[in-house]
């Protein structure tokens, strides 16, 4: 089958390369000429594990092409996918549909034959209807059939998520469009991947509801972690046992510094807006946002407490800046708010991230960027594990202790072995578990009570 994808961004590129892998001939179209010429030369504009090799394979097999010419790309297509950004509008955080509607407009003008127009971009409920109105009523293109087919690709795992999805969702009321979509995903459907057929509106909502639910799960376990600290319990054990209940499931129960990224925060705001438009409210989802927002200041207070209650003029080594490992994306990373709150209290921050380099530093004003974790930790009063990159999780506490000013560690991902750190003289604080002090001379490790949690009033102030 011949497929065109409008947008050579994260979703567009991954989808294009993966559809080429399962045998389709795919042209990925973007207006950014530089991006397209780079892709034609094998340069991938984003970091995503496995993508570069997949793009190279697709190109070598003669099934994956990159172009700026939409008309030419659509000339012999059966399917065109819209995979452009829906960034939050600065004034209200609601999804900006400008690029989606523009892509639809251009498809209406460029398509010279009937085809299925698939919305891959994450769009509010009713957007498919808007696109259909534009194509059918404004342009008279009743031969263009609009289908919703949301993506569920996690950054850092996107290729694997495409190859082995939990489900494929298709929203359409047209039988021809449905048979085209079945043919598109036939190699996956043959492997028994659930194929959910529904209305366009339900399909659009499935995407938002899924992201909001996952974010809610994360905020829930984060609140349980806070409670564990006050109650002397261990959130890892609580999450493990909760997750063994099949009705709950183990995933997205890792307590941490809060969720970030380009999807959860944006999609939650968009869902709330859609709910309001539909005359309902989303109390749980609204609370999910506020719990996540206040968490940044709370994490800063936690780091401050680990340093004896004062970070003024102290140097803190922050390890990891991306919102999660496996990506170079720092959009809405919890690191941004936590670092800002520490800087507000007078701390100097020296950071290291395996992938976020100088170009990401616009989001971290005043932060010194080190070339390695050990360089960031040298002379630091405390080290903070912000993102669980494997190379940071595997750091040797003895080597860290040797270069630091004082052996204080804050593990915001519960990935460091606290007792091992303690044996090398560290006082280590994690999330939702007892604080561990340095080993005594006979090698015994002691558990210290956690410092009093920050007051709610202070936590609820937004990070300036
Ligand atoms: C998310 C969804 O998981 C994808 O299914 C969806 O397709 C994508 O958004 C999208 O809308 O495009 P992503 O933003 O890449 O994917 O990241 P996740 O792996 O979902 O993580 C989101 C945030 O939650 C991260 O900051 C992560 O550190 C945090 N998280 C996740 C936790 O703090 N604890 C957990 O147990 C899981």
């Amino acid at each position: 089958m011949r497929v065109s994808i409008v947008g050579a961004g994260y979703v567009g590129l991954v989808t294009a390369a993966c559809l080429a892998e399962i045998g389709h001939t795919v042209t990925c179209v973007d207006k950014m000429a530089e991006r397209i010429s780079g892709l034609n030369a094998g340069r991938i504009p984003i970091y995503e594990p496995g993508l570069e090799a997949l793009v190279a394979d697709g190109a070598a097999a003669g099934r994956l092409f990159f172009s700026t010419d939409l008309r030419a790309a659509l000339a012999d297509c059966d399917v065109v996918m819209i995979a452009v950004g829906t960034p939050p509008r600065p004034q209200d955080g609601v999804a900006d549909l400008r690029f989606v509607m523009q892509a639809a407009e251009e498809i209406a003008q460029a398509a010279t034959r009937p085809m299925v127009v698939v919305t891959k971009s994450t769009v509010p409920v009713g957007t498919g209807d808007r696109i259909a109105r534009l194509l059918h009523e404004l342009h008279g293109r009743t031969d263009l059939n609009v289908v919703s087919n949301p993506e569920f690709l996690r950054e850092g795992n996107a290729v694997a998520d495409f190859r082995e999805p939990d489900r494929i969702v298709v929203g359409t009321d047209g039988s021809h469009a449905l048979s085209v979509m079945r043919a598109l995903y036939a190699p996956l459907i043959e492997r028994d991947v659930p194929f959910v057929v529904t209305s366009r509106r339900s399909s659009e909502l499935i995407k938002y509801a899924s992201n909001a639910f996952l974010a809610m799960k994360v905020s829930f376990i984060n609140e349980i972690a806070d409670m564990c600290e006050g109650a002397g319990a261990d959130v890892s054990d609580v999450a493990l046992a909760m997750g063994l209940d099949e009705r709950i499931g183990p995933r997205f129960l890792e307590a941490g510094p809060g969720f970030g990224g380009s999807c959860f925060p944006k999609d939650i705001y968009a869902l709330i807006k859609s709910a309001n438009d539909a005359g309902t409210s989303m109390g749980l989802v609204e609370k999910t946002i506020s719990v996540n927002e206040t968490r940044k200041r709370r994490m800063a207070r936690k780091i401050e407490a680990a340093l004896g209650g004062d970070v003024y003029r102290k140097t803190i080594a922050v390890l990891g800046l991306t919102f999660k490992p496996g990506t170079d994306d720092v959009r809405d990373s919890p690191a941004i708010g936590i670092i800002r709150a520490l800087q507000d209290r007078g701390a100097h921050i020296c950071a290291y991230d395996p992938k976020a380099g100088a170009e990401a530093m616009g989001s971290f004003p005043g932060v010194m960027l080190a070339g390695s974790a050990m360089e960031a930790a040298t002379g630091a009063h405390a080290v903070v594990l912000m993102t669980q990159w494997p190379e940071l999780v595997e750091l040797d506490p003895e080597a860290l202790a040797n270069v630091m000013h004082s052996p204080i560690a804050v593990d915001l991902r519960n990935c460091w072995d606290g007792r091992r750190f303690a044996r090398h003289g560290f006082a280590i604080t994690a999330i939702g578990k007892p604080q561990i002090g340095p080993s005594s001379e006979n090698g015994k490790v002691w558990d210290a009570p956690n410092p009093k949690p920050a007051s709610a009033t202070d936590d609820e102030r937004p990070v300036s």
Side-chain angles (χ1 to χ4, degrees):
M1 188 174 276
R2 290 189 175 267
V3 182
S4 282
I5 298 188
V6 182
Y10 183 78
V11 172
L13 270 182
V14 173
T15 308
C18 291
L19 285 174
E21 186 187 40
I22 60 171
H24 301 298
T25 302
V26 187
T27 305
C28 198
V29 182
D30 202 293
K31 287 188 174 142
M32 289 163 71
E34 209 178 312
R35 173 165 290 212
I36 292 301
S37 55
L39 283 162
N40 278 323
R43 285 193 303 277
I44 310 296
I46 51 166
Y47 172 71
E48 180 62 35
L51 184 59
E52 191 170 342
L54 206 59
V55 167
D57 289 351
R63 286 200 300 272
L64 182 57
F65 302 91
F66 299 98
S67 169
T68 52
D69 188 345
L70 180 63
R71 181 172 287 271
L74 294 187
D76 51 3
C77 258
D78 309 295
V79 175
V80 55
M81 293 183 154
I82 299 177
V84 296
T86 50
R89 290 193 313 215
Q91 67 272 29
D92 53 11
V94 165
D96 186 345
L97 293 179
R98 245 179 319 158
F99 305 114
V100 170
M101 297 314 290
Q102 199 179 329
E105 177 79 41
E106 286 164 12
I107 290 167
Q109 289 169 15
T112 50
R113 55 193 300 237
M115 64 186 72
V116 177
V117 179
V118 179
T119 315
K120 264 276 167 220
S121 304
T122 300
V123 291
V125 182
T127 304
D129 296 358
R130 253 181 87 182
I131 296 174
R133 274 199 302 277
L134 178 113
L135 298 178
H136 301 167
E137 291 168 21
L138 227 69
H139 290 276
R141 295 300 307 263
T142 45
D143 56 338
L144 301 177
N145 215 317
V146 182
V147 166
S148 163
N149 171 222
E151 53 86 14
F152 302 99
L153 308 173
R154 287 165 300 164
E155 289 188 25
N157 284 82
V159 172
D161 283 347
F162 187 99
R163 285 175 176 159
E164 284 175 41
D166 290 336
R167 75 297 207 192
I168 296 166
V169 176
V170 168
T172 177
D173 50 14
S175 56
H176 167 70
L178 181 57
S179 61
V180 170
M181 294 306 284
R182 273 193 207 281
L184 185 70
Y185 288 112
L188 299 178
I189 298 169
E190 278 158 20
R191 283 197 280 114
D192 286 338
V193 172
F195 187 77
V196 179
V197 181
T198 180
S199 70
R200 219 161 38 200
R201 282 176 171 253
S202 302
S203 168
E204 289 164 341
L205 184 53
I206 285 165
K207 172 61 194 264
Y208 278 128
S210 302
N211 272 5
F213 187 82
L214 291 171
M216 204 169 68
K217 217 173 162 189
V218 172
S219 275
F220 178 84
I221 201 65
N222 284 341
E223 285 205 308
I224 293 290
D226 294 345
M227 191 197 155
C228 285
E229 288 175 16
D234 186 326
V235 72
S236 300
D237 294 345
V238 175
L240 174 77
M242 279 176 65
L244 287 171
D245 185 328
E246 282 182 12
R247 293 167 302 174
I248 297 174
R251 293 164 79 189
F252 279 72
L253 282 182
E254 282 168 24
F259 58 79
S262 65
C263 303
F264 280 6
K266 163 178 85 76
D267 292 352
I268 292 176
Y269 279 114
L271 177 62
I272 293 170
K273 170 74 170 54
S274 290
N276 292 343
D277 289 349
T280 55
S281 64
M282 285 265 154
L284 278 175
V285 178
E286 280 173 16
K287 198 65 195 164
T288 297
I289 294 187
S290 62
V291 166
N292 198 54
E293 275 311 304
T294 55
R295 190 148 193 83
K296 293 165 194 166
R297 185 165 288 280
R298 193 179 176 93
M299 292 299 103
R301 296 273 295 172
K302 190 179 193 57
I303 296 164
E304 190 177 48
L307 274 151
D310 185 15
V311 295
Y312 186 68
R313 291 199 163 172
K314 293 197 174 143
T315 301
I316 300 171
V318 172
L319 304 183
L321 293 172
T322 52
F323 77 101
K324 65 174 195 176
T327 174
D328 56 1
D329 198 345
V330 298
R331 281 176 291 175
D332 256 310
S333 172
I336 297 173
I338 296 170
I339 287 177
R340 205 178 305 146
L342 290 168
Q343 288 171 324
D344 286 350
R345 292 165 153 82
H348 298 302
I349 308 292
C350 186
Y352 166 71
D353 189 281
K355 281 291 166 205
E359 63 291 348
M361 296 317 283
S363 302
F364 300 97
V367 171
M368 266 169 42
L369 185 64
S372 70
M374 293 308 288
E375 187 189 323
T378 300
H381 293 85
V383 62
V384 176
L385 180 65
M386 187 71 76
T387 316
Q388 67 277 39
W389 285 97
E391 72 165 83
L392 303 179
V393 171
E394 285 154 21
L395 279 170
D396 175 11
E398 186 177 6
L400 276 177
N402 285 339
V403 298
M404 289 177 66
H405 176 277
S406 42
I408 296 173
V410 182
D411 175 6
L412 297 184
R413 297 287 183 170
N414 286 349
C415 281
W416 280 340
D417 177 345
R419 285 170 191 271
R420 186 164 163 236
F421 270 68
R423 279 197 293 277
H424 292 288
F426 273 94
I428 176 162
T429 312
I431 301 275
K433 37 182 84 210
Q435 203 186 20
I436 300 181
S439 305
S440 61
E441 279 185 3
N442 63 12
K444 192 173 176 315
V445 169
W446 53 267
D447 291 349
N450 281 301
K452 203 172 152 298
S455 73
T457 11
D458 186 56
D459 275 351
E460 272 156 22
R461 277 188 292 142
V463 176
S464 60

